Amino acid sequence: MRRNTYLLMALLSAGLMACHNEPAFKVEGTVSGAADKMLYLEHTSLEGIVKVDSVKLDESGTFHFSGARPDSPDFYRLRLDNQVINFSVDSTETVTVKADNSGFATAYQVEGSENNQKIKELVLLQANLQEQVNKLGQSGLPAGVAQDSLFSLVNAYKDQVKRNYIFAAPNKAYAYFALFQQLNGYMIFDPLTSKEDVKCFAAVATSLNNLYPHADRSRNLYNMVIKGMKNTRTPQVKDVTLPADKIQEASIIDIELKDLNGKTHRLTDLKGKVVLIDFTAYSSAASGARNLALRELYNKYASQGLVIYQISLDADEHFWKTAADNLPWICVRDPQGPYSTYLNLYGVTQLPTAFLVNRNNELSLRVGEKTNMEEAIKNLL
C-alpha cells in the first residue's frame, strides 16, 4: 500500500512539473513614468480582444508576462490606459519592450523578432496617415476636393504597404497585420469588394495556408478571400428577381434582424413608410462618407416618412455596436456576415448596396451608381 502511495505521488509530481514546463513565450521590459498604473497583456483573437494578464507598475516600471506557445503566429498587445502596443508571437521567443507613459503607443522600442520591428513600422505609417487625414478634415476644403485628396492619401498608403510589407513577404506575421489596419475605425484594405485588395488577402492566405493549414486564422483568411473573389468576379445584378414563394403574402422579402439592444426589427412592420434598405460594412473605407450622406437624407426626410433600415455585415460585433451607436436610424446586424442568406435573396454582390421600398411595402428600386437617391426618395414620399 505504501509503495502504491509513493508511486501515485511520484506520478502526480511528474504531471505537475510537466504542466509548469509547457512551452511558453515571454513579454518583458519597462514602462517609465507610469507608476501605479495598470499594464494589461491582451490577446487579439478572431473573436475580439481577450485579457490575458495584468500588473500594477511600480516606480521601476518593470513587467514580465508569459503565455502558452501558439501553434501558429498569433497577435497580442500591451495596453496602458487607452494606448496599445501591438506585437506578434511565433513560438517561444522573448519579446522585450521599452516604453514611456508619454507616447506609449508609438515611441516604444521592441526587440525579439523582425515581425515586431515591421509591425512598429506599420503602426507609425498608419499614425502618420491618420494625422494627415485629420488635418484634411479640418482644412475647410470643399467636400469633393477633400474626398479626392482622401482617396489619394489612402491609395498612396496602400501602394506603399502592398509593395514593402504584403507582397514583399506574404508569409510573415506583419503582412497579415497590415491587412487589418484601420483608418477612422474602418479597414484600409477592403477584402469584400476591391479586386486589387482581394489579391493582397489572397497572397497572405496562400502563404499561411501552406505553412499552417489547420490554424483558425488561415481558414478565416481563406474564407474571406473566397468571398472576395466571388464578389469581384460576379457582374453586378441590375434587376431584382424575387423568388415566387417569398412574395405570396407580401410584396417584399422580409428581413428579421436584431439591433444593438437585441430588439427585433422586421421590414414588413414598416408598411406605410418609405424604406431605404442599406446593406453595408462599417469596416469598409467608404462607410464613413456614405453614412454622412445618409444622415443628410435622413435629417431632411425622416419627418415625411423616410426610414433607413441599415444591415451590417461586419464580422466584429463589438466594432459594429461602437460604429452604429450614434446613428439615428434602424441599425441591425446579420451575424452570418458575408454568408448572409439575405445577400443571396436580394442579389447583393457588392457592398454597399441599397434598395428603396415604397409605402405599400413593395420593393421599388435598386439604387445604382447613376441613381439620384434623393430624387427617388422624394418621388416615393
Side-chain angles (χ1 to χ4, degrees), residues 137-297:
Q138 299 166 4
S139 65
L141 291 172
V145 176
Q147 185 169 339
D148 289 344
S149 298
L150 174 61
F151 287 153
S152 295
L153 285 173
V154 172
N155 288 334
Y157 179 86
K158 290 167 72 171
D159 288 343
Q160 180 182 9
V161 171
K162 287 178 188 178
R163 182 175 62 253
N164 297 331
Y165 297 90
I166 296 175
F167 291 133
N171 61 322
K172 298 291 187 179
Y174 61 79
Y176 181 98
F177 179 85
L179 293 176
F180 294 92
Q181 284 193 292
Q182 297 183 358
L183 179 68
N184 287 338
Y186 299 99
M187 286 178 63
I188 296 173
F189 289 91
D190 177 6
L192 290 179
T193 62
S194 169
K195 191 170 185 177
E196 291 304 311
D197 290 358
V198 170
K199 292 178 182 177
C200 298
F201 280 79
V204 178
T206 301
S207 294
L208 278 184
N209 196 53
N210 288 336
L211 293 170
Y212 311 100
H214 303 298
D216 289 340
R217 290 189 188 274
S218 300
R219 290 196 295 265
N220 182 65
L221 201 60
Y222 177 80
N223 289 335
M224 292 174 68
V225 170
I226 294 300
K227 181 63 180 178
M229 292 176 67
K230 180 180 178 181
N231 285 351
T232 54
R233 285 177 179 171
T234 305
Q236 184 176 357
V237 179
K238 298 297 182 184
D239 300 314
V240 180
T241 303
L242 305 183
D245 62 327
K246 296 292 182 181
I247 57 174
Q248 291 176 354
E249 298 183 3
S251 299
I252 192 172
I253 301 175
D254 201 10
I255 298 178
E256 183 177 334
L257 293 169
K258 293 181 179 180
D259 65 14
L260 285 74
N261 300 311
K263 179 181 177 181
T264 299
H265 293 269
R266 298 177 180 84
L267 276 179
T268 49
D269 291 340
L270 299 174
K271 189 172 183 178
K273 302 285 187 179
V274 171
V275 183
L276 172 65
I277 308 172
D278 187 51
F279 289 90
T280 191
Y282 296 139
S283 56
S284 70
S287 179
R290 181 177 179 82
N291 279 343
L292 287 175
L294 291 182
R295 187 182 286 269
E296 288 188 17
L297 291 172

Side-chain angles (χ1 to χ4, degrees), residues 118-135:
K118 295 291 186 180
I119 286 175
K120 181 185 176 182
E121 291 176 13
L122 286 163
V123 167
L124 294 178
L125 287 172
Q126 187 275 338
N128 182 60
L129 174 64
Q130 184 69 66
E131 183 180 357
Q132 293 182 70
V133 171
N134 292 344
K135 289 180 179 178

Side-chain angles (χ1 to χ4, degrees), residues 64-84:
H64 177 89
F65 296 122
S66 63
R69 180 190 65 184
D71 295 327
S72 60
D74 213 343
F75 296 87
Y76 291 81
R77 68 184 202 175
L78 294 172
R79 179 170 64 83
L80 185 72
D81 295 331
N82 294 321
Q83 302 184 86
V84 298

